[in-house]
């Protein structure tokens, strides 16, 4: 009997193909090396003494590794307190921002909503023009009295115009027939929004949540303006004062 099977044929690689493969692998290796080397250099610097770390130049290895820097950082009460403040800000800011943005984008996605064009133009206007830093500062500190409050870092930027337009456009793509069927069954607007629209909007909700979480985690300027109490500093402010302003005493307090 003849056995049937697929025979693998080896394709001959010519010199040009071999050169192209080598070139591609070389490019990938260089990209990985360029990306990895800075992290390796930071890890090596963290194991150096303070005198060795102050020297200029790139260091990939250290002759006398020490864990003193890690002990000082991990034993600092201010580091843990600031990290907790950052986590609270990220969680609260992301949840509030996504919720308010979804609530605002839902009526704006309806063509029969009264004044939808006016509100859309007003929102787009804020993407080009703003009151500026000084009016915002007086609004938060003098009018709203939110100095030394976590809400001064969350509420002013809770609903961003760009995120709002992105979510509104996504909600417009949801078939209107689904909402009409729910209304025929007696569902109200809030039920339709919560049980019909929001489950179908998970992709845009996750996208906006990721953007806001990264934004809140990296933000420090608003904390620099509105927070005076050191116990309410976020992690970025503490690191800035240690690295830029060389206030090493902040790591030793507490």
């Amino acid at each position: 009997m003849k056995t049937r099977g697929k025979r693998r044929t080896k394709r001959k690689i010519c010199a040009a193909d071999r050169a192209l493969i080598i070139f591609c692998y070389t490019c990938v290796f260089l990209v990985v090396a360029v990306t990895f080397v800075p992290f390796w250099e930071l890890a090596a610097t963290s194991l150096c003494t303070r005198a060795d770390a102050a020297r200029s130049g790139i260091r990939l290895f250290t002759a006398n590794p020490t864990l003193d820097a890690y002990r000082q950082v991990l034993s600092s009460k201010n580091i843990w307190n600031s990290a907790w403040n950052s986590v609270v800000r990220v969680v609260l800011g992301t949840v509030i921002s996504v919720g308010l943005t979804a609530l605002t984008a839902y009526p704006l996605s309806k063509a029969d909503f009264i004044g939808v064009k006016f509100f859309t133009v007003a929102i787009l206007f804020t993407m080009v023009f703003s009151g500026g830093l000084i009016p915002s500062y007086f609004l938060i500190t003098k009018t709203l009295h939110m100095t030394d409050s976590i809400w001064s870092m969350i509420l002013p930027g809770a609903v961003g115009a760009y995120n709002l337009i992105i979510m509104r456009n996504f909600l417009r793509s949801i078939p209107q027939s689904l909402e009409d069927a729910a209304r025929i069954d007696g569902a109200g607007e809030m039920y339709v929004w919560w049980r019909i629209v929001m489950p179908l909007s998970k992709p845009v909700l996750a996208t906006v949540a990721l953007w806001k979480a990264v934004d809140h985690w990296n933000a420090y300027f608003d904390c620099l303006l509105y927070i005076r109490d050191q116990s309410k500093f976020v992690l970025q402010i503490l690191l800035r004062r240690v690295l830029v302003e060389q206030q090493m005493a902040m790591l030793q307090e507490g």
Side-chain angles (χ1 to χ4, degrees):
M1 295 179 62
K2 296 182 179 181
T3 59
R4 298 179 179 180
K6 295 182 179 180
R7 297 181 179 179
R8 297 180 179 178
T9 59
K10 296 183 179 180
R11 184 174 63 91
K12 295 182 179 180
I13 301 177
C14 62
D17 292 341
R18 187 177 293 105
L20 179 61
I21 293 174
I22 295 175
F23 175 77
C24 293
Y25 274 99
T26 303
C27 291
V28 172
F29 175 79
L30 292 177
V31 171
V32 172
V34 170
T35 306
F36 178 73
V37 166
F39 292 96
W40 180 269
E41 199 269 341
L42 287 176
T45 303
S46 67
L47 298 176
C48 295
T49 61
R50 183 176 300 183
D52 293 338
R55 298 175 182 174
S56 60
I58 298 177
R59 62 185 62 80
L60 300 180
F61 302 97
T62 176
N64 301 313
T66 177
L67 296 177
D68 292 341
Y70 290 94
R71 295 191 187 97
Q72 184 177 3
V73 169
L74 296 178
S75 62
S76 173
K77 181 180 178 181
N78 290 335
I79 283 287
W80 295 105
N81 186 48
S82 299
W84 171 252
N85 293 337
S86 294
V87 171
V88 172
R89 174 183 180 173
V90 169
V91 174
L92 284 179
T94 302
V95 172
I96 293 175
S97 179
V98 172
L100 293 179
T101 303
L103 283 171
T104 309
Y106 177 66
L108 293 177
S109 65
K110 307 303 177 185
D112 56 350
F113 178 67
I114 299 176
V116 61
K117 292 184 178 179
F118 169 77
F119 291 114
T120 302
V121 172
I123 293 171
L124 291 175
F125 182 83
T126 63
M127 297 180 64
V128 183
F129 303 97
S130 64
L133 178 60
I134 296 177
S136 301
Y137 178 82
F138 281 108
L139 174 65
I140 295 174
T141 58
K142 303 298 182 181
T143 304
L144 301 178
H145 302 286
M146 290 195 301
T147 306
D148 275 339
S149 173
I150 191 175
W151 302 114
S152 63
M153 300 181 291
I154 294 177
L155 295 182
V159 181
Y162 181 79
N163 294 339
L164 185 60
I165 298 301
I166 292 294
M167 189 171 294
R168 186 207 63 167
N169 293 339
F170 183 90
L171 296 182
R172 283 185 172 181
S173 65
I174 298 178
Q176 184 65 30
S177 58
L178 297 176
E179 302 180 25
D180 295 338
R183 292 189 181 93
I184 292 175
D185 292 337
E189 289 296 334
M190 288 302 298
Y191 185 90
V192 172
W193 175 78
W194 179 251
R195 300 299 299 271
I196 304 298
V197 177
M198 288 297 99
L200 297 175
S201 304
K202 290 180 181 179
V204 71
L205 293 175
T207 301
V208 174
L210 178 62
W211 288 347
K212 293 303 297 184
V214 174
D215 183 39
H216 278 294
W217 180 260
N218 292 330
Y220 75 94
F221 190 66
D222 49 1
C223 179
L224 189 65
L225 289 177
Y226 307 126
I227 303 300
R228 301 290 182 268
D229 189 357
Q230 182 175 317
S231 62
K232 298 180 181 180
F233 283 169
V234 295
L235 184 61
Q236 286 69 25
I237 288 293
L238 183 64
L239 295 178
R240 179 182 181 276
R241 295 197 169 184
V242 172
L243 298 177
V244 178
E245 302 177 11
Q246 298 296 322
Q247 297 183 12
M248 299 299 297
M250 298 190 67
L251 294 179
Q252 301 174 358
E253 295 178 0

